[in-house]
Amino acid sequence: MAGLFRSTATISAMTLISRILGFVRDMVLARVFGAGMATDAFFVAFKLPNFFRRMFGEGAFATAFVPVFTEYREQRSGEELQGLLAAVSGVLAAVVAGVTLLGMVAAPLLVWVLAPGFGDDPEKMALTADLLRVTFPYLFLISLVALAGGVLNTFGRFAAPAFTPVLLNVAMIVAAGVAAPYFERPIAALAWGVLAGGVLQLGFQWPFLRRLGMAVRPRFRPGHPGVRRIARLMGPSMLSVSVAQISVLIDTILASLLAGGSVSYLYYADRLVQFPLGLFGIALGTAILPTLSRLVSQGRDADYGVTLDRALRMILTIGAPATAGLVLLGYPILATLFQYGEFGAPATAATYRALAAYALGLMAFIGVKVLAPAFYSRQDTRTPVRIAVVALLANIVLNLALIGPLAHAGLALATSLASFLNAGLLLRALLARGLYHPQPGWPAHLAKVALAVAVMLAVAWWMAPGPGAWDQAGAGERALDLTLAVGLAGAVYLAIAWLLDVEEVRRAPRWLAGRLLEGRSGSR
């Protein structure tokens, strides 16, 4: 458990830097481009390669590659491990290169499928296709980045892969803030910034692979036994891991049929929810997959169950206050970050409605990141994919039911509800198969977290004025008021949780003190 906590904390620390820069990036985008035709076009052009990245790269590939690579590392020779990596990298590069070329050629058709509402505006459709041709090669680069990250994570090197996304944010900030005025269509600078970010990320991880002796030459060997196993595992998991991304794509298709700016509202709301999700949920999911895979490989079923239980408690401890905070303070956060220049109060209000709906599903989003790897670590991809299909179908039905009364916010709410269904069915399957048994103390843990969240909400409600006050305040006043509200509410939650002896909160200072001591001893 201590190892899982340390790994999660390390990834979270690196992710925090990336997420902060991500907010800076989005603030620059909102200030320079606002929420309109150009940003809708870019977000659609960026969303499609991001979707395929989840399928070929970070998501499905990692869930199939890490367990097999871990098994080779535990049970095979170093030469066999390098052979597996060479074969996997060669096959992955060839497949993704083919998909990339096909996507660039078929860009207009892909835009028509992904955003049919753009068809009424030929200029918007053409702009989106042009941007997509530039952003699509990012898929090839980031898939190789994901492979390198999977290798580093298996060796317990979590910091470098978690820091890598920082480089994409830096590239996009420079593109929007510096390069955009030099382009005939300023939004095109962002597409080139995405491509540059992919090159920087791949170059950054290469030296770390060399230190491990894993900087091997790719070889196209689709018949390699390890490659065949990874391919069999990856096929079903592509849908399972990508169900949330498929839901986002469906949201984009339907949002393109709504009023202008709807795609952008969903984007900015999703970005804000991605902060706690990336900072903790993805970090925990990234750390737990190699941990559970190792326990399964070693036959330590009891430790497997305890590790999973601790992870679920961590979800509640972090996810509950994050959800409550986003719902109550979402409007002030959006106004402080984005409400400048071309992004006015109406855009903030519209984005907040989507944010509140997404925030309600935060714990489910995080839960899926932990519960699905519990199956992948056992090389079981069939169960998650069956559940993912059910959740996806439910999401489509909910989209159609809620888009009428709630517009774009209905699409966000449907995604949240479908994610709860996904997480619930995964948990039920683990319980039914006897793979997970809740450890003693859950009722007390629930009560402690609920009490701490209730006190936190009371403080946040007392500190934060209504939307009108935030609209009228200047940038400095907004930032100060928001910092005080978030800081005090967060401190109150941590203090109450500490007094109530919530283990996850008690453990954090000990971990931080240990890291500081390690740093001091290492500098001597």
Side-chain angles (χ1 to χ4, degrees):
M1 176 60 193
L4 176 62
F5 184 88
R6 285 194 299 270
S7 300
T8 303
T10 299
I11 298 170
S12 295
M14 295 297 102
T15 304
L16 177 61
I17 301 173
S18 175
R19 296 298 174 175
I20 291 174
L21 278 175
F23 279 132
V24 173
R25 179 193 80 188
D26 290 337
M27 291 171 67
V28 172
L29 265 62
R31 191 180 190 93
V32 175
F33 302 109
M37 187 269 281
T39 52
D40 280 359
F42 171 74
F43 292 144
V44 169
F46 190 35
K47 194 178 296 292
L48 193 60
N50 254 339
F51 168 73
F52 282 111
R53 175 189 59 125
R54 292 289 184 184
M55 295 179 67
F56 290 101
E58 298 172 358
F61 175 76
T63 61
F65 171 73
V66 170
V68 175
F69 193 73
T70 300
E71 181 184 311
Y72 266 68
R73 188 188 174 209
E74 293 283 336
Q75 303 176 6
R76 306 289 183 94
S77 67
E79 183 178 347
E80 288 177 299
L81 185 66
Q82 290 180 329
L84 171 64
L85 181 57
V88 170
S89 59
V91 173
L92 178 68
V95 172
V96 178
V99 173
T100 299
L101 291 174
L102 182 61
M104 294 173 68
V105 172
L109 177 61
L110 292 173
V111 173
W112 182 83
V113 172
L114 185 62
F118 288 8
D120 297 333
D121 188 340
E123 181 184 359
K124 194 174 186 178
M125 179 72 78
L127 174 61
T128 307
D130 290 343
L131 296 177
L132 182 58
R133 290 190 180 98
V134 179
T135 59
F136 221 102
Y138 175 73
L139 166 63
F140 175 80
L141 297 167
I142 203 62
S143 295
L144 296 180
V145 170
L147 171 61
V151 173
L152 293 173
N153 288 337
T154 302
F155 278 85
R157 307 299 196 270
F158 294 102
F163 179 81
T164 299
V166 168
L167 301 174
L168 173 64
N169 290 325
V170 170
M172 293 182 68
I173 290 170
V174 172
V178 178
Y182 297 96
F183 282 75
E184 180 180 354
R185 294 181 296 188
I187 197 70
L190 284 179
W192 287 103
V194 169
L195 188 58
V199 174
L200 291 173
Q201 290 179 90
L202 184 58
F204 175 76
Q205 290 196 348
W206 185 255
F208 295 96
L209 290 176
R210 291 188 62 182
R211 292 175 192 172
L212 293 173
M214 290 291 114
V216 300
R217 178 179 298 178
R219 297 183 181 278
F220 186 74
R221 295 180 57 195
H224 189 285
V227 172
R228 291 202 303 267
R229 285 179 58 194
I230 291 171
R232 285 196 299 268
L233 293 172
M234 186 176 172
S237 67
M238 286 172 68
L239 178 58
S240 177
V241 173
S242 302
V243 66
Q245 297 302 311
I246 294 173
S247 298
V248 171
L249 282 181
I250 294 172
D251 291 352
T252 302
I253 293 171
L254 295 176
S256 73
L257 303 173
L258 299 174
S262 295
V263 173
S264 297
Y265 303 147
L266 288 172
Y267 170 82
Y268 286 116
D270 178 65
R271 286 292 300 160
L272 201 54
V273 171
Q274 288 294 324
F275 183 78
L277 178 58
L279 190 64
F280 175 69
I282 295 176
L284 180 57
T286 301
I288 202 171
L289 178 57
T291 301
L292 292 179
S293 298
R294 184 170 60 254
L295 294 175
V296 170
S297 179
Q298 296 172 354
R300 296 163 59 185
D301 291 337
D303 290 336
Y304 170 95
V306 171
T307 300
L308 187 56
D309 187 84
R310 292 299 185 184
L312 293 175
R313 294 196 188 203
M314 290 169 68
I315 292 174
L316 179 66
T317 305
I318 304 298
T323 297
L326 283 175
V327 172
L328 186 61
L329 298 175
Y331 191 97
I333 294 172
L334 289 168
T336 302
L337 292 175
F338 304 130
Q339 195 172 309
Y340 308 101
E342 297 297 321
F343 201 97
T348 301
T351 304
Y352 171 69
R353 291 194 291 274
L355 172 61
Y358 276 138
L360 293 176
L362 178 60
M363 281 198 290
F365 301 150
I366 299 174
V368 172
K369 298 292 183 184
V370 170
L371 294 169
F375 290 95
Y376 300 139
S377 65
R378 311 185 79 87
Q379 301 187 26
D380 174 8
T381 57
R382 294 182 180 274
T383 300
V385 76
R386 286 197 296 265
I387 292 173
V389 169
V390 173
L392 180 60
L393 294 176
N395 186 73
I396 294 172
V397 173
L398 290 168
N399 272 333
L400 298 176
L402 297 174
I403 189 173
L406 299 177
H408 64 282
L411 301 177
L413 181 59
T415 299
S416 294
L417 295 175
S419 292
F420 270 110
L421 178 62
N422 194 353
L425 292 176
L426 287 170
L427 180 59
R428 189 181 72 169
L430 287 170
L431 293 169
R433 298 180 185 185
L435 299 176
Y436 166 61
H437 301 283
Q439 301 296 303
W442 265 102
H445 185 69
L446 287 167
K448 292 174 182 178
V449 172
L451 178 58
V453 169
V455 177
M456 181 201 78
L457 282 176
V459 171
W461 180 82
W462 173 65
M463 289 286 296
W470 292 96
D471 294 338
Q472 297 170 10
E477 186 180 356
R478 289 177 187 170
L480 178 60
D481 289 346
L482 180 63
T483 300
L484 290 174
V486 173
L488 183 58
V492 167
Y493 173 78
L494 292 174
I496 297 297
W498 175 277
L499 292 173
L500 294 175
D501 197 28
V502 175
E503 180 183 355
E504 290 74 18
V505 175
R506 289 267 185 173
R507 185 183 296 273
R510 295 197 295 270
W511 174 83
L512 181 60
R515 296 290 289 185
L516 291 174
L517 289 174
E518 288 176 11
R520 290 178 181 176
S521 61
S523 63
R524 291 174 183 171

